[in-house]
Each structure stands twice: as C-alpha cells, then as structure tokens.
C-alpha cells in the first residue's frame, strides 16, 4: 500500500469521499521554505526532494534520519507525498511529523515501506510551520521528491474502464535471438507506467474553481494522484504530454474531462 493514513483518521465532513481521487500538484503544495536534513551522503543533495526533478536526490549518511521543510509561516496541509525513492528496496520505516511548538508530533504511524512506489500520506488538516519525514531501519535510501500541501479532491469518482497504475506497466525491451530462434538475452531500455483517468458529471462551478490551477500546474511539473485512496494504495507520480481540457456534456451544467498520464517507473 502506498496510501498511508493518519492513525484513527476520520474523513472531515466537508471532504469528498475516499472513493474520489486525491491530487497533489504544484499549485497546492508548499514552496519557498527552507530545507534541513539531519545528514547527507557525499554526492547527494539535502534540497533535492524540494523540487520535482527526480534525478536530484537526497540520501542520508546514517539512520535514523530526518528531512525537514520549514515554510517560514504557518500553512494548512492534509498530505505528504513522496516519489522517486528506494525505501522499499532498502527496508525502511517512514513516519511523517510536524512541530507543535515544543516537540515533533507524529502525523502518521511509523510504517514499514514495502515497495518503491510513490507514497501519499493522508491526514486531517493541520496548520503548522515545520514539517518533516523520519526514516529509520534498513539501510540509507535515496529520495527524489517530498511535498506537503492541501490536496485537490475530485468531485466525482472514477467508474469502470480504468487501468490501475500499479499494473499498467509499460516496458520497452530489446531482445536478441539466434538464427534458429534461440533466446540470447534481453535489455530493458525503459520502464514506466501509463494509464487514463476520466471523470463525468463535474459541475461547471467545480471545474472553473479547480481545474485551471491543475492545468497550469501539470503543464510545468509532475503531480501525485491516488485514484481511490480509501480502497487501494495505487499512487502515481504522473506527467502529462497534453493539457486536459474539460468539455460541456450537454446535460444541465455538467462537464467531463479525461487525461492520459505517464508515471515514473519502479521495480
């Protein structure tokens, strides 16, 4: 599972159900703050996870380790998202915390990470200035992106026909065969995920209030999407090649929109 909930999480009354997608993008996550890491291995960058470029990574030189984001002023968040990490491979335990003015308080329980898939931690809204992740157990991982923010919640759920990103694996391979058809080996050139999302019966008011920000954000940077966070742990760190454009359905004041995404691959 790569969706992790706060202990005893209770859905706020104003939130959409957990069968509706949650999206973390660059116009709803925190930026402009200060990053501090407890340690950083040679050749890596403490501020690597503070941007969306997954090739710039942080790796602690020892565990237990912390990576902190100080926003400089209070801000409201309900998620922490992590991508381009090796915490599953390295056998790590993750905890998300905030500073309550006197000590660090846990937002999600210490959780053993079992894969290198993107992570979305969901918790009740907290208005704080300082946030951090704590990594323990196992060996030192690399982490490419960490963001805190207030998620975009889709007004409608997805229905039939969606291919979950966890099994929508796209692998470009080159195989070698002998003249008689013997298998001589194979090289994998690229692995990534690819799937489609489509929503219908979005109200015009919701679309105008929410979708343009997502368009602008997704044109510039990747984003996280958990399509049914209450039912399964599928999370994508996704990129778009085309801007998704809502269309009027011709039914009352409803709109529909779809998008095709490519996600960072992992083993």
């Amino acid at each position: 599972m790569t969706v992790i909930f706060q202990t005893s999480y209770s859905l706020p009354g104003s939130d959409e159900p957990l069968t509706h997608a949650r999206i973390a993008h660059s116009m709803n996550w925190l930026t402009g703050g200060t990053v501090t890491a407890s340690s950083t291995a040679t050749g890596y960058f403490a501020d690597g996870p503070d941007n969306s470029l997954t090739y710039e990574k942080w790796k602690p030189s020892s565990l237990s380790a912390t990576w902190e984001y100080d926003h400089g002023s209070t801000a409201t968040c309900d998620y922490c998202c992590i991508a381009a990490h090796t915490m599953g491979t390295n056998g790590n335990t993750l905890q998300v915390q905030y500073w309550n003015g006197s000590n660090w308080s846990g937002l999600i329980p210490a959780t053993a990470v079992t894969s290198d898939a993107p992570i979305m931690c969901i918790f009740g809204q907290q208005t704080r200035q300082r946030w951090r992740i704590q990594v323990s157990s196992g060996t030192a991982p690399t982490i490419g992106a960490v963001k805190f923010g207030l998620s975009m919640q889709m007004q409608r759920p997805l229905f039939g026909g969606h291919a979950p990103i966890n099994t929508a694996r796209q692998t470009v391979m080159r195989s070698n065969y002998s003249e008689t058809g013997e298998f001589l080996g194979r090289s994998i050139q690229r692995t990534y995920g690819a799937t489609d999302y489509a929503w219908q019966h979005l109200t015009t008011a919701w679309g105008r209030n929410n979708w343009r920000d997502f368009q602008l954000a997704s044109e510039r940077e990747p984003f996280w999407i958990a399509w049914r966070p209450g039912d399964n742990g599928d999370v994508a760190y996704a990129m778009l090649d085309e801007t998704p454009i809502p269309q009027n359905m011709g039914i009352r004041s409803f709109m529909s929109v779809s998008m095709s995404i490519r996600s960072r691959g992992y083993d």
Side-chain angles (χ1 to χ4, degrees):
M1 295 289 285
T2 54
V3 174
I4 305 172
F5 286 98
Q6 179 182 19
T7 301
S8 302
Y9 176 78
S10 178
L11 184 71
S14 59
D15 280 16
E16 298 292 350
L18 290 172
T19 52
H20 295 208
R22 298 307 197 258
I23 299 177
H25 61 71
S26 64
M27 293 187 72
N28 66 30
W29 65 52
L30 303 184
T31 60
T34 302
V35 168
T36 306
S38 58
S39 66
T40 302
T42 302
Y44 293 86
F45 310 92
D47 61 352
D50 195 36
N51 64 53
S52 300
L53 304 176
T54 56
Y55 64 87
E56 293 183 345
K57 295 180 172 64
W58 168 62
K59 180 179 180 178
S61 57
S62 61
L63 297 179
S64 172
T66 59
W67 185 93
E68 177 188 342
Y69 174 83
D70 185 338
H71 193 53
S73 60
T74 58
T76 301
C77 297
D78 65 3
Y79 72 75
C80 170
C81 287
I82 303 171
H85 67 87
T86 60
M87 288 188 287
T89 297
N90 290 75
N92 301 130
T93 296
L94 170 71
Q95 188 174 36
V96 177
Q97 303 170 327
Y98 66 85
W99 181 253
N100 64 15
S102 57
N103 51 56
W104 289 99
S105 180
L107 273 170
I108 64 164
T111 302
V113 181
T114 58
S115 84
D116 294 340
I119 296 171
M120 180 179 288
C121 301
I122 297 175
F123 45 85
Q125 290 187 11
Q126 293 284 341
T127 302
R128 306 290 175 177
Q129 177 177 324
R130 298 169 62 189
W131 313 81
R132 77 178 189 180
I133 62 170
Q134 183 177 54
V135 182
S136 59
S137 301
T139 56
T142 58
I143 299 177
V146 180
K147 294 295 181 182
F148 296 89
L150 195 61
S151 65
M152 171 177 154
Q153 303 178 13
M154 291 303 298
Q155 189 184 35
R156 304 286 186 246
L158 290 175
F159 294 102
H162 173 67
I165 193 65
N166 192 45
T167 52
R169 184 179 175 92
Q170 308 290 315
T171 303
V172 180
M173 297 174 285
R174 176 173 292 178
S175 300
N176 296 313
Y177 302 98
S178 72
E179 291 180 353
T180 58
E182 301 289 354
F183 178 66
L184 301 179
R186 172 175 293 160
S187 60
I188 295 178
Q189 297 177 310
R190 185 181 306 110
T191 300
Y192 59 95
T195 192
D196 301 320
Y197 300 87
W199 293 274
Q200 297 181 335
H201 302 102
L202 303 170
T203 63
T204 299
W206 187 93
R208 290 182 179 276
N209 290 334
N210 294 276
W211 200 255
R212 182 169 172 78
D213 280 354
F214 174 68
Q215 287 178 316
L216 295 173
S218 62
E219 288 171 358
R220 293 165 174 80
E221 298 188 62
F223 57 94
W224 284 264
I225 177 169
W227 74 289
R228 290 178 71 92
D231 290 349
N232 61 64
D234 293 337
V235 179
Y237 187 57
M239 292 142 270
L240 295 177
D241 292 323
E242 295 182 353
T243 302
I245 301 173
Q247 296 181 329
N248 290 318
M249 296 180 64
I251 305 172
R252 298 172 62 184
S253 60
F254 291 132
M255 306 182 80
S256 64
V257 67
S258 62
M259 61 183 183
S260 298
I261 66 100
R262 175 188 295 242
S263 72
R264 184 183 181 277
Y266 61 91
D267 291 328

